[in-house]
Amino acid sequence: MKVLKVFFICLCFSSLLKAQKPLPLNYNSSDVISELKRHLSVLAHDSLEGRETGFPGIEKAARYIESQFLQMGITPLPALKEYRQHYKTPYQNQNACNVMGVIEGSDLKNEYIVLSAHYDHLGKDGDIVYNGADDDGSGTVAVLTLAKTFKTLQNLGYGPRRSILFVLFSGEEKGLWGSDYFSKHQPVSFSKISCDLNIDMIGRVDTERHQSDTLNYIYVVGHNRISSELEPELERINKLQNPITLDYKFDDPADPQRIFYRSDHYNFARLGVPVLFFYDGMLLGDYHKPTDEIELIQWDVYAKRTNLIFRMALECANRNQKLKRDLK
Ligand SMILES: [Zn+2]
């Protein structure tokens, strides 16, 4: 079969695929980067007014995500009948929604893996727009890019064994509202979710890292909670191709930033779903400032991290067993 010019190379490393032919995809970082740029230039544009939950700008972001799902052939969850899960915001009772779509699995379709990010940000302050290119434009765009890759694979006859749910939460910046609602009104029972891979800020580098030899990294949070199988799987997959440094420092229980509790994966972990949270550590610098702009995204490392998350998601979707839930 012809090698398609799409996003990711897939070595045949998953347990299922090992017995089959290699996936017909070629990794080409410039293609990945142009796809990431295409989406982020829309979502981090001033016209979306900082994507604040409950305000008009975020509606444009929601419509964009829906339009992309529709174009890709990603379908709504049968339980929702549309891409949106509506909720009312606490305190002001404004309309808000999470946006999600699914690729149905093959022989294990009643089990799920979730790929998540939040599409809301801080809004604007007078004329100053908080575009949140990294936070969390980068995660939202990574989820869209992964959705397209998995759908392309499925169309070629290489669909995932488990169903994959792509979820973009709102209300995260306000206090994880969207994922809290999702966890309390589960459109897919959490008992059927093998894991949530949550992406919140993967397009920049933290201010402690200056030299090129230290920039090839990702912080991974949650690896040693809930499932003892996550860390060895991630380490193994990372080593197979273009390895990057997996830095677990934010999983220190003494982490003063309490990063583990600060993004949407927490609402899965709290209920016992294994999670991995992928994060760039951009806490100083431009974090929650109007300077979190697309011009400062570091595309090479962003594409590399997206590729790692893709390969981990592929493994989680296709491995024989759901991830064990064996840790406190
Ligand atoms: Zn965020």
Side-chain angles (χ1 to χ4, degrees):
M1 192 182 297
K2 182 166 154 268
V3 172
L4 287 188
K5 195 183 171 214
V6 275
F7 310 117
F8 300 97
I9 195 167
C10 314
L11 305 174
C12 50
F13 49 75
S14 83
S15 44
L16 171 77
L17 295 162
K18 219 171 262 166
Q20 300 180 356
K21 42 203 172 168
L23 299 183
L25 293 180
N26 235 352
Y27 179 76
N28 181 326
S29 70
S30 66
D31 291 341
V32 181
I33 289 170
S34 65
E35 189 74 355
L36 296 171
K37 279 184 179 167
R38 180 170 76 85
H39 292 307
L40 197 57
S41 63
V42 176
L43 290 168
H45 193 269
D46 280 353
S47 61
L48 272 63
E49 301 178 329
R51 309 186 304 274
E52 184 173 4
T53 303
F55 287 79
I58 197 171
E59 173 61 20
K60 294 183 188 170
R63 284 190 195 158
Y64 180 76
I65 296 162
E66 289 178 307
S67 72
Q68 296 306 304
F69 280 162
L70 190 65
Q71 266 181 36
M72 293 172 198
I74 303 282
T75 52
L77 265 179
L80 296 178
K81 300 189 180 73
E82 58 172 320
Y83 293 120
R84 298 187 184 208
Q85 180 188 41
H86 299 275
Y87 65 95
K88 293 283 187 186
T89 63
Y91 316 119
Q92 292 181 319
N93 216 30
Q94 293 160 303
N95 291 323
C97 65
N98 301 319
V99 184
M100 66 196 78
V102 70
I103 292 178
E104 191 176 82
S106 55
D107 59 319
L108 300 174
K109 68 179 172 195
N110 292 324
E111 295 177 5
Y112 289 79
I113 70 161
V114 174
L115 299 181
S116 61
H118 70 90
Y119 73 101
D120 67 305
H121 193 52
L122 303 173
K124 57 180 188 168
D125 183 5
D127 288 340
I128 300 170
V129 183
Y130 290 73
N131 280 321
D134 194 31
D135 185 8
D136 185 23
S138 64
T140 300
V141 164
V143 169
L144 289 177
T145 303
L146 294 173
K148 184 167 176 184
T149 304
F150 277 109
K151 193 65 196 177
T152 304
L153 280 172
Q154 188 182 49
N155 291 340
L156 292 167
Y158 297 81
R161 297 182 68 193
R162 291 184 178 78
S163 297
I164 305 181
L165 184 60
F166 303 92
V167 188
L168 289 317
F169 292 115
S170 62
E172 195 272 355
E173 302 285 12
K174 306 282 190 184
L176 314 187
W177 289 349
S179 55
D180 181 64
Y181 186 88
F182 181 91
S183 73
K184 291 171 178 161
H185 303 83
Q186 300 173 7
V188 166
S189 165
F190 276 24
S191 63
K192 294 179 178 171
I193 298 176
S194 181
C195 63
D196 168 46
L197 306 184
N198 186 48
I199 312 168
D200 191 353
M201 304 167 63
I202 58 163
R204 296 278 298 269
V205 293
D206 84 20
T207 47
E208 291 167 20
R209 295 170 191 259
H210 303 291
Q211 291 168 356
S212 58
D213 61 341
T214 66
L215 300 183
N216 187 42
Y217 76 97
I218 179 112
Y219 293 115
V220 182
V221 188
H223 71 290
N224 59 359
R225 312 194 193 211
I226 305 167
S227 178
S228 62
E229 294 177 331
L230 274 172
E231 182 183 343
E233 283 288 37
L234 182 67
E235 290 281 346
R236 184 174 67 79
I237 281 159
N238 182 45
K239 284 189 189 102
L240 289 174
Q241 183 206 324
N242 289 334
I244 64 178
T245 301
L246 303 173
D247 190 329
Y248 300 109
K249 79 170 185 183
F250 289 114
D251 252 329
D252 182 343
D255 169 29
Q257 307 287 355
R258 293 175 57 80
I259 292 294
F260 177 70
Y261 303 93
R262 288 176 57 179
S263 187
D264 294 306
H265 60 277
Y266 177 66
N267 279 320
F268 291 86
R270 171 173 81 68
L271 296 175
V273 177
V275 300
L276 286 179
F277 168 35
F278 297 94
Y279 171 56
D280 61 23
M282 201 268 289
L283 205 54
L284 301 170
D286 299 303
Y287 175 69
H288 283 193
K289 293 187 180 155
T291 44
D292 178 3
E293 294 278 22
I294 191 168
E295 290 75 18
L296 298 173
I297 295 290
Q298 304 212 6
W299 299 100
D300 285 335
V301 71
Y302 180 15
K304 248 180 147 175
R305 291 164 177 162
T306 304
N307 186 26
L308 171 67
I309 298 165
F310 165 69
R311 290 182 288 124
M312 184 62 184
L314 182 71
E315 177 62 28
C316 292
N318 287 339
R319 71 202 302 275
N320 286 329
Q321 302 296 327
K322 261 178 30 179
L323 288 158
K324 275 198 285 197
R325 302 181 178 191
D326 59 342
L327 300 176
K328 290 273 173 200

